[in-house]
Amino acid sequence: MCGRYTITVTLEELMTRYFTGDPSFDHYAPKFNAAPMQYIPAVIHDGKRNKLGQLRWGLLPSWSKEDKNAAKLINARSESLLEKASFKGLVSSRRCIIPADGFYDWQVKESGKQPLRITLRDGQLFSMAGLYDIWTDPSGHKIATCTIITTAANSLMEEIHDRMPVILGKDAEAQWLDRSNQDIPSLMKLLQPYDARQMLAYPVSSAVGNVRNDYRELINRAGADAV
């Protein structure tokens, strides 16, 4: 499960990291508690170059009759992508990357649930694999939505949760975004647990549990040392 994450860098850093031109949205602000049904930065490939835009988090399949249940499709299990009607048609043509520099999960302890922020050890941006789709309402208004793909937990995440977002290595990013890449078996092999040795987790404030909270102090370490 990946239900909250952070993207705290500047727009310029995003554009430089993903070699994009000007973004297709007017306003960008760092997110310290990105949540489902919000519009989030995402990267796609338009056939010529990477493009930075915004997608609403929570997939709404193009064939849906109405805008509902998207909040239930914030994640897609990698193992069953090709079996689910909502996802299988998107793997070949509508792949995206969700840039992040951390994600939250909750570890169950005797004292209750402890929220943790999970990052790369070097603190750098990373790419979560996603799928997107475009839904058109009866009036012709288009809504672009996405889901984040999850996989089995690595050795770090096993102590926290049995799932984690798929984090693509830099070599895999181009393969995943390349719209001309129709090699589904090879694409599916990219959806693996990330190297636990390159990651760390540390406790944060329970305030991240409230989606209305979105401020820098949420990512500060709380209490015990990092895992």
Tab-separated table of all heavy atoms in Angstrom, residues 58-68 70 73 85-87 89-90 93-94 132-138 141-146:
chain	number	residue	atom	x	y	z
A	58	GLY	N	-5.711	8.367	-8.057
A	58	GLY	CA	-6.873	7.496	-7.907
A	58	GLY	C	-7.411	7.237	-9.297
A	58	GLY	O	-8.055	8.100	-9.900
A	59	LEU	N	-7.115	6.061	-9.853
A	59	LEU	CA	-7.407	5.806	-11.261
A	59	LEU	C	-8.905	5.736	-11.549
A	59	LEU	O	-9.657	5.045	-10.866
A	59	LEU	CB	-6.743	4.500	-11.711
A	59	LEU	CG	-6.782	4.277	-13.215
A	59	LEU	CD1	-5.673	5.077	-13.894
A	59	LEU	CD2	-6.647	2.799	-13.568
A	60	LEU	N	-9.294	6.450	-12.581
A	60	LEU	CA	-10.663	6.394	-13.104
A	60	LEU	C	-10.573	5.877	-14.535
A	60	LEU	O	-10.185	6.616	-15.440
A	60	LEU	CB	-11.292	7.789	-13.078
A	60	LEU	CG	-12.741	7.907	-13.512
A	60	LEU	CD1	-13.660	7.077	-12.622
A	60	LEU	CD2	-13.180	9.376	-13.486
A	61	PRO	N	-10.886	4.590	-14.745
A	61	PRO	CA	-10.747	4.020	-16.085
A	61	PRO	C	-11.579	4.776	-17.117
A	61	PRO	O	-12.679	5.270	-16.809
A	61	PRO	CB	-11.257	2.578	-15.902
A	61	PRO	CG	-11.017	2.285	-14.447
A	61	PRO	CD	-11.285	3.583	-13.749
A	62	SER	N	-11.069	4.854	-18.325
A	62	SER	CA	-11.741	5.611	-19.384
A	62	SER	C	-13.131	5.070	-19.685
A	62	SER	O	-14.000	5.810	-20.150
A	62	SER	CB	-10.890	5.593	-20.657
A	62	SER	OG	-10.674	4.261	-21.100
A	63	TRP	N	-13.347	3.782	-19.399
A	63	TRP	CA	-14.635	3.179	-19.704
A	63	TRP	C	-15.655	3.300	-18.567
A	63	TRP	O	-16.794	2.847	-18.687
A	63	TRP	CB	-14.451	1.700	-20.055
A	63	TRP	CG	-13.503	0.939	-19.167
A	63	TRP	CD1	-12.205	0.641	-19.431
A	63	TRP	CD2	-13.776	0.381	-17.869
A	63	TRP	NE1	-11.644	-0.064	-18.386
A	63	TRP	CE2	-12.590	-0.243	-17.416
A	63	TRP	CE3	-14.903	0.345	-17.052
A	63	TRP	CZ2	-12.501	-0.882	-16.182
A	63	TRP	CZ3	-14.820	-0.293	-15.816
A	63	TRP	CH2	-13.623	-0.889	-15.397
A	64	SER	N	-15.266	3.931	-17.463
A	64	SER	CA	-16.197	4.091	-16.342
A	64	SER	C	-17.378	4.959	-16.758
A	64	SER	O	-17.236	5.918	-17.520
A	64	SER	CB	-15.496	4.751	-15.151
A	64	SER	OG	-14.457	3.941	-14.660
A	65	LYS	N	-18.532	4.644	-16.226
A	65	LYS	CA	-19.729	5.405	-16.561
A	65	LYS	C	-19.847	6.684	-15.752
A	65	LYS	O	-20.523	7.623	-16.171
A	65	LYS	CB	-20.970	4.532	-16.361
A	65	LYS	CG	-21.055	3.367	-17.337
A	65	LYS	CD	-22.343	2.592	-17.156
A	65	LYS	CE	-22.443	1.453	-18.168
A	65	LYS	NZ	-23.704	0.668	-18.019
A	66	GLU	N	-19.203	6.728	-14.573
A	66	GLU	CA	-19.279	7.918	-13.745
A	66	GLU	C	-18.017	8.044	-12.903
A	66	GLU	O	-17.264	7.089	-12.745
A	66	GLU	CB	-20.522	7.893	-12.853
A	66	GLU	CG	-20.664	6.637	-12.015
A	66	GLU	CD	-21.993	6.587	-11.284
A	66	GLU	OE1	-22.559	7.655	-10.993
A	66	GLU	OE2	-22.467	5.475	-10.996
A	67	ASP	N	-17.817	9.251	-12.393
A	67	ASP	CA	-16.617	9.560	-11.616
A	67	ASP	C	-16.813	9.124	-10.171
A	67	ASP	O	-17.120	9.921	-9.294
A	67	ASP	CB	-16.326	11.059	-11.693
A	67	ASP	CG	-15.036	11.436	-10.962
A	67	ASP	OD1	-14.340	10.530	-10.486
A	67	ASP	OD2	-14.743	12.642	-10.866
A	68	LYS	N	-16.628	7.841	-9.922
A	68	LYS	CA	-16.698	7.321	-8.564
A	68	LYS	C	-15.782	6.116	-8.454
A	68	LYS	O	-15.338	5.564	-9.448
A	68	LYS	CB	-18.123	6.948	-8.163
A	68	LYS	CG	-18.689	5.739	-8.881
A	68	LYS	CD	-20.049	5.381	-8.307
A	68	LYS	CE	-20.575	4.066	-8.914
A	68	LYS	NZ	-21.880	3.685	-8.338
A	70	ALA	N	-12.781	6.038	-7.780
A	70	ALA	CA	-11.379	6.293	-8.098
A	70	ALA	C	-10.501	6.207	-6.856
A	70	ALA	O	-9.349	5.768	-6.930
A	70	ALA	CB	-11.222	7.668	-8.756
A	73	LEU	N	-8.776	2.997	-6.228
A	73	LEU	CA	-7.755	2.531	-7.169
A	73	LEU	C	-6.515	3.409	-7.096
A	73	LEU	O	-5.947	3.807	-8.110
A	73	LEU	CB	-8.318	2.517	-8.598
A	73	LEU	CG	-9.465	1.543	-8.858
A	73	LEU	CD1	-9.943	1.652	-10.300
A	73	LEU	CD2	-9.059	0.104	-8.552
A	85	ALA	N	-9.205	-5.585	-15.220
A	85	ALA	CA	-9.732	-4.786	-16.332
A	85	ALA	C	-9.315	-3.326	-16.257
A	85	ALA	O	-9.094	-2.679	-17.283
A	85	ALA	CB	-11.254	-4.893	-16.352
A	86	SER	N	-9.189	-2.804	-15.045
A	86	SER	CA	-8.853	-1.388	-14.880
A	86	SER	C	-7.430	-1.059	-15.298
A	86	SER	O	-7.129	0.096	-15.617
A	86	SER	CB	-9.052	-0.977	-13.412
A	86	SER	OG	-10.388	-1.109	-13.014
A	87	PHE	N	-6.550	-2.073	-15.302
A	87	PHE	CA	-5.121	-1.816	-15.508
A	87	PHE	C	-4.522	-2.455	-16.753
A	87	PHE	O	-3.580	-1.906	-17.332
A	87	PHE	CB	-4.328	-2.311	-14.296
A	87	PHE	CG	-4.847	-1.835	-12.974
A	87	PHE	CD1	-5.084	-2.726	-11.930
A	87	PHE	CD2	-5.097	-0.486	-12.756
A	87	PHE	CE1	-5.556	-2.292	-10.704
A	87	PHE	CE2	-5.574	-0.029	-11.530
A	87	PHE	CZ	-5.802	-0.941	-10.500
A	89	GLY	N	-5.095	-2.868	-19.889
A	89	GLY	CA	-4.980	-2.165	-21.149
A	89	GLY	C	-4.042	-0.974	-21.104
A	89	GLY	O	-3.675	-0.421	-22.147
A	90	LEU	N	-3.631	-0.576	-19.903
A	90	LEU	CA	-2.794	0.605	-19.750
A	90	LEU	C	-1.307	0.285	-19.769
A	90	LEU	O	-0.487	1.164	-20.031
A	90	LEU	CB	-3.136	1.317	-18.429
A	90	LEU	CG	-4.607	1.686	-18.225
A	90	LEU	CD1	-4.795	2.330	-16.863
A	90	LEU	CD2	-5.099	2.603	-19.337
A	93	SER	N	0.463	1.177	-23.051
A	93	SER	CA	0.433	2.503	-23.661
A	93	SER	C	0.337	3.690	-22.713
A	93	SER	O	0.590	4.826	-23.130
A	93	SER	CB	-0.748	2.589	-24.631
A	93	SER	OG	-1.979	2.371	-23.935
A	94	ARG	N	-0.032	3.477	-21.464
A	94	ARG	CA	-0.241	4.610	-20.562
A	94	ARG	C	0.501	4.396	-19.248
A	94	ARG	O	-0.087	4.301	-18.179
A	94	ARG	CB	-1.735	4.874	-20.350
A	94	ARG	CG	-2.369	5.489	-21.596
A	94	ARG	CD	-3.778	5.942	-21.424
A	94	ARG	NE	-4.168	6.789	-22.543
A	94	ARG	CZ	-5.401	7.222	-22.777
A	94	ARG	NH1	-6.380	6.885	-21.950
A	94	ARG	NH2	-5.668	7.991	-23.817
A	132	TYR	N	-1.683	5.579	-15.979
A	132	TYR	CA	-2.669	6.657	-16.011
A	132	TYR	C	-3.741	6.375	-17.053
A	132	TYR	O	-3.579	5.517	-17.929
A	132	TYR	CB	-1.992	8.009	-16.280
A	132	TYR	CG	-1.507	8.216	-17.704
A	132	TYR	CD1	-2.270	8.935	-18.621
A	132	TYR	CD2	-0.278	7.715	-18.115
A	132	TYR	CE1	-1.816	9.129	-19.928
A	132	TYR	CE2	0.187	7.921	-19.407
A	132	TYR	CZ	-0.597	8.625	-20.315
A	132	TYR	OH	-0.142	8.817	-21.590
A	133	ASP	N	-4.843	7.088	-16.946
A	133	ASP	CA	-5.920	6.976	-17.914
A	133	ASP	C	-6.635	8.312	-17.987
A	133	ASP	O	-6.454	9.176	-17.117
A	133	ASP	CB	-6.895	5.857	-17.537
A	133	ASP	CG	-7.560	5.224	-18.757
A	133	ASP	OD1	-7.433	5.797	-19.859
A	133	ASP	OD2	-8.208	4.171	-18.616
A	134	ILE	N	-7.412	8.505	-19.034
A	134	ILE	CA	-8.147	9.754	-19.231
A	134	ILE	C	-9.625	9.440	-19.380
A	134	ILE	O	-10.022	8.655	-20.255
A	134	ILE	CB	-7.625	10.505	-20.466
A	134	ILE	CG1	-6.130	10.830	-20.294
A	134	ILE	CG2	-8.429	11.789	-20.681
A	134	ILE	CD1	-5.485	11.412	-21.536
A	135	TRP	N	-10.412	10.029	-18.516
A	135	TRP	CA	-11.867	9.823	-18.510
A	135	TRP	C	-12.555	11.091	-18.985
A	135	TRP	O	-12.119	12.208	-18.661
A	135	TRP	CB	-12.320	9.478	-17.093
A	135	TRP	CG	-13.782	9.189	-16.945
A	135	TRP	CD1	-14.437	8.042	-17.296
A	135	TRP	CD2	-14.780	10.052	-16.377
A	135	TRP	NE1	-15.771	8.136	-16.979
A	135	TRP	CE2	-16.009	9.365	-16.424
A	135	TRP	CE3	-14.738	11.339	-15.839
A	135	TRP	CZ2	-17.195	9.920	-15.942
A	135	TRP	CZ3	-15.918	11.901	-15.368
A	135	TRP	CH2	-17.132	11.200	-15.413
A	136	THR	N	-13.596	10.934	-19.758
A	136	THR	CA	-14.353	12.078	-20.264
A	136	THR	C	-15.761	12.041	-19.699
A	136	THR	O	-16.470	11.035	-19.835
A	136	THR	CB	-14.410	12.064	-21.800
A	136	THR	OG1	-13.077	12.001	-22.321
A	136	THR	CG2	-15.104	13.311	-22.320
A	137	ASP	N	-16.169	13.139	-19.053
A	137	ASP	CA	-17.507	13.177	-18.471
A	137	ASP	C	-18.542	13.492	-19.556
A	137	ASP	O	-18.182	13.804	-20.701
A	137	ASP	CB	-17.569	14.158	-17.303
A	137	ASP	CG	-17.454	15.615	-17.716
A	137	ASP	OD1	-17.624	15.929	-18.911
A	137	ASP	OD2	-17.210	16.465	-16.835
A	138	PRO	N	-19.834	13.398	-19.237
A	138	PRO	CA	-20.877	13.611	-20.251
A	138	PRO	C	-20.811	14.974	-20.939
A	138	PRO	O	-21.269	15.115	-22.081
A	138	PRO	CB	-22.164	13.465	-19.442
A	138	PRO	CG	-21.796	12.535	-18.329
A	138	PRO	CD	-20.397	12.916	-17.965
A	141	HIS	N	-15.709	17.148	-20.537
A	141	HIS	CA	-14.558	17.518	-19.707
A	141	HIS	C	-13.698	16.295	-19.440
A	141	HIS	O	-14.201	15.246	-19.034
A	141	HIS	CB	-15.040	18.120	-18.397
A	141	HIS	CG	-13.931	18.459	-17.443
A	141	HIS	ND1	-13.003	19.432	-17.708
A	141	HIS	CD2	-13.597	17.927	-16.229
A	141	HIS	CE1	-12.152	19.511	-16.707
A	141	HIS	NE2	-12.480	18.608	-15.798
A	142	LYS	N	-12.384	16.430	-19.655
A	142	LYS	CA	-11.476	15.304	-19.478
A	142	LYS	C	-10.791	15.363	-18.112
A	142	LYS	O	-10.369	16.433	-17.671
A	142	LYS	CB	-10.411	15.290	-20.581
A	142	LYS	CG	-10.984	15.056	-21.976
A	142	LYS	CD	-9.879	15.010	-23.013
A	142	LYS	CE	-10.432	14.852	-24.410
A	142	LYS	NZ	-11.152	13.581	-24.596
A	143	ILE	N	-10.670	14.209	-17.463
A	143	ILE	CA	-9.974	14.086	-16.190
A	143	ILE	C	-8.879	13.042	-16.343
A	143	ILE	O	-9.155	11.893	-16.698
A	143	ILE	CB	-10.931	13.682	-15.053
A	143	ILE	CG1	-12.064	14.711	-14.903
A	143	ILE	CG2	-10.175	13.523	-13.737
A	143	ILE	CD1	-13.113	14.302	-13.875
A	144	ALA	N	-7.630	13.437	-16.103
A	144	ALA	CA	-6.496	12.518	-16.193
A	144	ALA	C	-6.159	12.021	-14.789
A	144	ALA	O	-5.913	12.823	-13.887
A	144	ALA	CB	-5.294	13.214	-16.817
A	145	THR	N	-6.158	10.718	-14.606
A	145	THR	CA	-5.959	10.125	-13.278
A	145	THR	C	-4.872	9.065	-13.320
A	145	THR	O	-4.472	8.603	-14.386
A	145	THR	CB	-7.266	9.489	-12.764
A	145	THR	OG1	-7.625	8.384	-13.630
A	145	THR	CG2	-8.400	10.498	-12.726
A	146	CYS	N	-4.394	8.673	-12.144
A	146	CYS	CA	-3.298	7.701	-12.105
A	146	CYS	C	-3.401	6.784	-10.891
A	146	CYS	O	-4.146	7.043	-9.947
A	146	CYS	CB	-1.947	8.411	-12.079
A	146	CYS	SG	-1.619	9.357	-10.566
